[in-house]
Amino acid sequence: MTKILITGVSSGIGRELAKQLVARGDFVWGIARRKKLLLELKNDLEDSKKFNFSSLDVTKSADWPRLISRMRRAKCIPRVVIFNAAILENDYLAGGFIDVGSTRKIMETNYFSILSGLNELTKFIKKKTKIIFIGSASSFKGSGEEGIGYSGSKAALNNAFESLYQKFGEIYEFKIIHFGPILTDMVPFRSNILFMRTARQAATAIINAIDSRNHLFYYPWL
């Protein structure tokens, strides 16, 4: 049984991933802001004893030490950490240019909160822990429809994790998974998208990446 910490488990890929990991016998500690959805997820699991959760806001730096303190008391040191939480907002202004406040919020959630979490977690986790960043094909290109914040945050994290892999790859197992369009509530489109995959398929791809020795993944490969 592997102990796994996942951010953003209340919906989408994170929720499906938690369900699949628990079903295969792993223990999952899930993080999300909405406690109601976390409780619903726990109740939906066949073996709810293999799932614990913390309702917190990853953008609040003080919440990370509190999480670690609770996990330490529970003697739950994760061997896999998956940074899945992210927000997508269109930060183009209607009839204007850029909503910089919205862009800043996206970067705070999708980029800086992960760096803050990593700083705290490395004081707690053991060597050779697998640290996984859920990336996106958006990190390789801008978008005239989605806005600049989401693709910018994913590109920044891609570079950050590549740098961390080069600097600390002998201490921790960094992995990056770049997804194409995944059918969740977050995507701005619903049909006629080439290579669209479901949250279930994405979760299965993440599990395969956990078990793989590689550090870089693209799904679908094309």
Side-chain angles (χ1 to χ4, degrees):
M1 180 180 69
T2 303
K3 296 176 181 178
I4 302 174
L5 175 66
I6 311 173
T7 69
V9 299
S10 61
S11 61
I13 296 173
R15 182 182 180 88
E16 182 61 36
L17 179 59
K19 291 169 67 175
Q20 289 191 30
L21 288 169
V22 168
R24 79 169 192 168
D26 294 321
F27 180 87
V28 173
W29 196 300
I31 299 173
R33 288 179 298 172
R34 294 172 288 184
K35 186 175 181 178
K36 179 181 178 181
L37 294 181
L38 289 167
L39 287 168
E40 289 176 359
L41 172 58
K42 188 174 180 67
N43 291 333
D44 286 345
L45 297 172
E46 291 185 8
D47 191 352
S48 60
K49 292 181 180 179
K50 286 189 170 65
F51 179 78
N52 204 344
F53 65 82
S54 292
S55 174
L56 56 83
D57 186 345
V58 294
T59 64
K60 296 180 179 179
S61 57
D63 278 5
W64 285 105
R66 283 198 288 267
L67 167 69
I68 292 170
S69 178
R70 187 181 171 201
M71 295 185 76
R72 196 186 299 276
R73 291 195 302 271
K75 297 181 180 180
C76 180
I77 302 176
R79 298 300 296 173
V80 179
V81 177
I82 303 173
F83 288 103
N84 168 71
I87 60 173
L88 188 158
E89 293 182 0
N90 191 329
D91 49 0
Y92 292 133
L93 285 173
F97 200 59
I98 304 168
D99 181 351
V100 177
S102 179
T103 307
R104 185 176 289 110
K105 175 185 175 184
I106 294 168
M107 293 298 295
E108 186 65 38
T109 302
N110 297 2
Y111 182 66
F112 289 109
S113 71
I114 291 178
L115 299 186
S116 295
L118 268 175
N119 259 349
E120 295 299 327
L121 284 167
T122 52
K123 303 172 187 176
F124 172 58
I125 58 178
K126 297 179 179 180
K127 292 182 178 180
K128 300 303 179 182
T129 294
K130 297 178 181 181
I131 303 174
I132 301 174
F133 155 55
I134 305 303
S136 169
S138 296
S139 64
F140 305 117
K141 61 180 179 62
S143 172
E145 296 180 0
E146 296 177 6
I148 66 173
Y150 182 76
S151 60
S153 66
K154 290 297 185 178
L157 269 177
N158 178 54
N159 289 338
F161 265 65
E162 281 290 350
S163 298
L164 291 169
Y165 169 75
Q166 294 175 33
K167 179 68 174 178
F168 301 106
E170 294 184 0
I171 302 176
Y172 305 108
E173 294 186 33
F174 290 98
K175 297 174 182 284
I176 306 172
I177 308 172
H178 289 295
F179 283 120
I182 305 296
L183 187 58
T184 67
D185 292 339
M186 198 167 70
V187 296
F189 31 74
R190 285 290 180 268
S191 60
N192 300 321
I193 300 299
L194 192 63
F195 303 127
M196 177 77 80
R197 294 294 188 267
T198 66
R200 178 175 295 182
Q201 289 173 316
T204 300
I206 295 171
I207 292 173
N208 291 336
I210 292 173
D211 297 334
S212 171
R213 292 187 177 183
N214 296 332
H215 95 280
L216 190 59
F217 305 86
Y218 299 92
Y219 184 80
W221 183 81
L222 291 176

